[in-house]
């Protein structure tokens, strides 16, 4: 069925409208589905290969739609193919998923979707399978796909956990997690007031509205490419979800405070804090030295780089980086399961394993215990995750409080989500925000 590939012909594809986009989408999906790669990382490496913002938007739309409906499409392939695709056919699988997404979820014109996707098979060096791609896509066009239950996209172990943690809200969580996320902007106070930036958007015919839940937040009614946003390159605004923007309100450091962002990459939350108060003495850490470049780029674009230090370090290994001066405020936006941002990272449902949660819970506890030691008496530590699992969130905080006599929780207001023993949990899609957890912890004098 699959035959022997002759090697990709990227140059030819680049000269045929639409083919390069489908070919690159197939490669992204092959990497994500076939090789366990991160969708976010693959898109970051692939999108710059397309010069036209419309092509970049289409590539993203194809990949997201294919992953959200992957189970349905793979079941169709099991019925329609005489022999299942092998491990060497990841790019062919990716191309078929991309084709299905165009015909089904995106409802693109069938002729254009078919012809460009079949030609992409040839561009990928799959000349012998071009006929197969054509036949399978035409069958999909004729027969269509059955509706899918939102829960079918979730692995059973994770589905059980969500239903256990949120029995009343679980169906809404599952449905919201498969919907496209809105585009939220954070206005840089050092450049514009929110009202002034809303006026710029109106002048650019970009429909948007302010949120009462976060002072710098604007939601676009229809997403646009960032290069179409007024002043984006000059740091006037950043893309950041409503829930993530509320971190600055929850931490609320005093003017000029000594602040630690312990897991800072890509730097959006640190930049937000500094946009609000350039007098903060902020240290941004990240364990991955390669991600420091992202922090640097964020700081440079927003204009806050002069007010912060950036360092590669394991935040839990305080002996390796701490100079002994206590921090007034610590932000621990901890590594987590990312179950609150499935709508932005649908591959979470493909890659996450039950054993990952055990490892993440242990890492979160280690970070909490270590960072509590660098916080001054009277200081605040904000623990946050983009998870909806109580093991990582409320139960993690409860265990920390039980073993830490000088810690107490400072309850956050209703604007931050559901109350959970003084901490707050927003579930995916609520107030159009991502699933996000925050607990404000005070250190007794």
């Amino acid at each position: 069925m699959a035959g022997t590939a002759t090697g990709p012909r990227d140059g030819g594809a680049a000269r045929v409208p639409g083919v390069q986009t489908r070919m690159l989408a197939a490669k992204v999906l092959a990497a994500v589905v076939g090789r366990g790669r991160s969708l976010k990382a693959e898109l970051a490496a692939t999108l710059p290969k397309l010069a036209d913002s419309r092509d970049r938007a289409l590539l993203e739309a194809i990949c997201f739609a294919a992953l959200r409906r992957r189970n349905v499409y793979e079941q169709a392939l099991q019925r329609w193919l005489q022999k299942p695709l092998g491990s060497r056919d990841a790019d062919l699988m990716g191309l078929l998923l991309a084709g299905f997404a165009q015909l089904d979820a995106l409802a693109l014109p069938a002729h254009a979707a078919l012809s460009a996707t079949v030609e992409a098979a040839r561009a990928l060096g799959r000349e012998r399978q071009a006929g197969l791609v054509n036949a399978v896509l035409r069958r999909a066009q004729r027969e269509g796909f059955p509706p899918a239950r939102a829960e079918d996209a979730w692995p059973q172990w994770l589905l059980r956990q969500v239903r256990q943690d949120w029995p009343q809200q679980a169906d809404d969580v599952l449905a919201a997690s498969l919907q496209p996320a809105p585009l939220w902007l954070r206005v840089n106070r050092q450049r514009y007031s929110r009202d002034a930036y809303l006026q710029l958007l109106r002048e650019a015919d970009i429909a948007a509205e302010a949120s009462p839940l976060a002072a710098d937040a604007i939601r676009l009614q229809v997403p646009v490419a960032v290069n179409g946003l007024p002043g984006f390159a000059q740091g006037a605004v950043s893309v950041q979800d409503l829930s993530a923007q509320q971190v600055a309100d929850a931490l609320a450091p005093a003017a000029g405070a000594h602040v630690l962002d312990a897991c800072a990459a890509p730097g959006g939350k640190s930049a937000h804090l500094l946009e609000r108060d350039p007098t903060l003495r902020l240290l941004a850490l990240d364990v991955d030295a390669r991600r420091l470049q992202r922090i640097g780029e964020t700081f440079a674009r927003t204009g806050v780089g002069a007010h912060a230090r950036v360092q590669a370090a394991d935040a839990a290994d305080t002996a390796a980086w701490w100079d002994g001066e206590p921090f007034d405020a610590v932000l621990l936006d901890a590594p987590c399961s990312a179950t609150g941002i499935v709508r932005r990272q649908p591959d979470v449902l493909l890659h996450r394993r039950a054993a990952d949660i055990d490892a993440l819970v242990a890492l979160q506890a280690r970070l909490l215990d270590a960072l509590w030691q660098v916080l001054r008496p009277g200081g605040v530590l904000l623990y946050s995750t983009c998870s909806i699992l109580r093991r990582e969130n409320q139960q993690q905080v409860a265990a920390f409080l039980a073993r830490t006599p000088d810690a107490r929780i400072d309850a956050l207001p209703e604007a931050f989500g559901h109350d959970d023993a003084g901490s707050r949990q927003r579930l995916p899609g609520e107030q159009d925000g991502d699933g996000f957890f925050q607990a404000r912890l005070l250190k007794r004098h």
Side-chain angles (χ1 to χ4, degrees):
M1 161 143 336
T4 303
T6 59
R9 297 188 285 119
D10 294 36
R15 294 191 296 271
V16 181
V19 174
Q20 187 186 28
T21 302
R22 274 74 173 183
M23 180 183 69
L24 291 175
K27 289 183 175 182
V28 169
L29 290 168
V32 173
V33 176
R35 297 195 294 278
R37 292 279 296 159
S38 157
L39 174 63
K40 188 175 181 179
E42 289 299 312
L43 287 176
T46 303
L47 289 173
K49 297 178 182 178
L50 294 170
D52 193 317
S53 62
R54 293 168 296 183
D55 291 334
R56 294 193 295 270
L58 177 59
L59 187 150
E60 281 194 284
I62 289 172
C63 291
F64 274 86
L67 290 171
R68 288 183 178 124
R69 297 267 286 162
R70 178 182 59 86
N71 286 4
V72 173
Y73 298 158
E74 289 182 350
Q75 288 172 14
L77 284 175
Q78 290 173 6
R79 297 193 306 271
W80 294 343
L81 295 180
Q82 294 179 352
K83 190 166 87 173
L85 298 177
S87 58
R88 297 175 62 185
D89 298 318
D91 59 345
L92 187 59
M93 170 66 88
L95 189 62
L96 289 169
L97 293 177
F100 291 165
Q102 294 171 70
L103 295 170
D104 173 45
L106 302 181
L108 296 184
H111 175 74
L114 280 164
S115 59
T117 305
V118 171
E119 185 58 37
R122 299 187 176 95
L124 286 166
R126 293 281 185 169
E127 183 80 35
R128 294 176 58 184
Q129 286 82 38
L132 169 69
V133 171
N134 183 60
V136 170
L137 294 185
R138 289 191 179 280
R139 183 165 183 177
Q141 182 187 6
R142 289 195 308 271
E143 299 184 16
F145 297 92
R149 299 178 303 171
E151 65 184 44
D152 292 339
W154 291 66
Q156 285 300 308
W157 68 269
L158 187 52
L159 179 63
R160 286 193 298 271
Q161 191 63 61
V162 172
R163 291 203 179 281
Q164 178 181 317
D165 287 353
W166 302 100
Q168 303 303 317
Q169 300 91 352
D171 287 340
D172 290 339
V173 166
L174 302 175
S177 295
L178 292 184
Q179 296 302 312
L183 184 65
W184 285 94
L185 303 180
R186 183 189 80 233
V187 179
N188 184 347
R189 294 186 182 187
Q190 302 302 310
R191 300 282 197 269
Y192 292 97
S193 69
R194 182 166 65 173
D195 286 345
Y197 194 78
L198 280 168
Q199 180 59 34
L200 289 181
L201 291 175
R202 283 191 287 269
E203 292 169 359
D205 291 325
I206 298 174
E209 58 189 1
S211 169
L213 299 176
D216 304 311
I218 291 174
R219 185 179 66 82
L220 299 192
Q221 293 184 11
V222 178
V224 301
V226 293
N227 58 11
L229 295 171
F232 179 84
Q234 294 74 37
V237 289
S238 298
V239 174
Q240 189 177 46
D241 186 79
L242 168 70
S243 297
Q245 290 192 46
Q246 288 190 306
V247 163
D249 291 320
L251 185 63
H258 190 209
V259 178
L260 171 66
D261 185 350
C263 304
K269 297 178 182 70
S270 283
H272 191 195
L273 290 167
L274 289 164
E275 289 167 7
R276 287 191 166 189
D277 180 8
T279 70
L280 295 177
R281 295 184 298 128
L282 187 142
L283 171 61
L285 295 182
D286 202 86
V287 69
D288 187 347
R290 295 170 298 180
R291 300 183 73 191
L292 295 186
Q293 181 179 351
R294 292 283 309 281
I295 300 176
E297 291 169 354
T298 299
F299 285 3
R301 187 182 61 81
T302 56
V304 301
H307 309 288
R309 292 186 296 128
V310 178
Q311 185 175 342
D314 176 357
D317 183 13
T318 57
W321 59 266
W322 186 38
D323 63 5
E325 181 186 356
F327 290 91
D328 302 306
V330 172
L331 169 59
L332 172 53
D333 188 37
C336 72
S337 63
T339 45
I341 56 172
V342 168
R343 61 183 191 168
R344 296 189 187 278
Q345 297 182 22
D347 53 319
V348 166
L349 300 181
L350 179 63
H351 300 326
R352 191 66 66 227
R353 301 291 181 265
D356 297 342
I357 309 304
D358 295 332
L360 286 164
V361 168
L363 173 59
Q364 292 156 2
R366 186 166 70 96
L367 285 163
L368 275 166
D369 290 341
L371 294 172
W372 196 249
Q373 305 311 310
V374 307
L375 183 68
R376 69 164 175 82
V380 58
L381 185 151
L382 185 73
Y383 175 74
S384 66
T385 75
C386 56
S387 170
I388 57 173
L389 303 184
R390 300 189 80 207
R391 280 189 66 198
E392 298 180 272
N393 296 341
Q394 188 274 331
Q395 292 172 17
Q396 180 73 269
V397 170
F400 173 75
L401 291 172
R403 66 177 181 268
T404 313
D406 61 344
R408 69 176 180 88
I409 197 158
D410 184 24
L412 291 166
E414 186 179 356
F416 291 84
H418 299 272
D419 178 56
D420 203 351
S423 56
R424 289 286 176 174
Q425 175 78 64
R426 175 173 287 114
L427 297 173
E430 292 180 335
Q431 295 87 36
D432 278 338
D434 286 341
F436 207 80
F437 174 86
Q438 299 190 71
R440 180 179 165 90
L441 302 168
L442 299 182
K443 192 169 190 177
R444 302 179 196 274
H445 287 282

